[in-house]
């Protein structure tokens, strides 16, 4: 069982940066691929980024490529999302997710464990 907790959200001006963190409990964190999703008001939850269990492979939604970077530190049981050049359309609740699954499956929303989410608000 993995429990996830996100932090680092907040209010930022357009063009600014934030770094989200997702801390995991349990000793099996390094066996999970990790992903970030987001959900804006009135919209469905959407895939943002994913990282393989080793950290060697990363994947991004087209909307965030070149602006967001996902990384993980297995020694700290933590996955990060560095968000640069934020835009108003990035405003959403951001969730981290874990799965012992393929990245393709995770991108379709096949997540085994979810965090509670952290709010990111970008003002224009």
């Amino acid at each position: 069982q993995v429990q996830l907790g996100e932090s680092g959200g907040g209010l930022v001006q357009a063009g600014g940066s934030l770094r989200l963190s997702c801390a995991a409990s349990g000793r099996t964190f390094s066996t999970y691929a990790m992903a970030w999703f987001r959900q804006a008001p009135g919209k469905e939850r959407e895939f943002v980024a994913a990282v393989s269990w080793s950290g060697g492979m990363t994947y991004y939604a087209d909307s965030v490529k070149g602006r967001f970077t996902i990384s993980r530190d297995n020694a700290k049981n933590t996955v990060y999302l560095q968000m640069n050049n934020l835009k108003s359309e990035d405003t959403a609740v951001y969730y981290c997710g874990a799965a012992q699954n393929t990245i393709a499956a995770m991108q379709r929303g096949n997540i085994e464990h979810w965090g509670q989410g952290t709010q990111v608000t970008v003002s224009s």
Side-chain angles (χ1 to χ4, degrees):
Q1 187 74 11
V2 174
Q3 292 185 321
L4 305 173
E6 302 93 336
S7 61
L11 174 64
V12 64
Q13 290 188 329
S17 298
L18 282 175
R19 188 175 83 154
L20 305 183
S21 299
C22 174
S25 65
R27 291 178 286 182
T28 60
F29 174 76
S30 62
T31 67
Y32 285 82
M34 300 295 298
W36 287 95
F37 283 72
R38 67 187 181 186
Q39 188 167 19
K43 295 188 177 181
E44 293 187 353
R45 191 172 298 190
E46 65 174 2
F47 170 79
V48 174
V51 60
S52 61
W53 64 270
S54 68
M57 292 185 290
T58 57
Y59 306 82
Y60 298 94
D62 288 343
S63 59
V64 306
K65 277 181 184 176
R67 300 188 298 122
F68 290 11
T69 302
I70 188 170
S71 61
R72 66 188 296 162
D73 185 338
N74 285 343
K76 295 183 178 179
N77 280 13
T78 302
V79 62
Y80 305 97
L81 186 68
Q82 177 67 44
M83 306 185 295
N84 298 328
N85 190 22
L86 282 160
K87 304 176 181 181
S88 57
E89 52 262 42
D90 295 319
T91 294
V93 177
Y94 283 71
Y95 299 89
C96 68
Q100 292 176 319
N101 210 331
T102 65
I103 296 295
M106 294 181 76
Q107 288 176 303
R108 295 191 297 269
N110 291 319
I111 302 293
E112 297 169 25
H113 306 284
W114 289 103
Q116 83 285 353
T118 186
Q119 176 71 47
V120 171
T121 303
V122 184
S123 63
S124 56

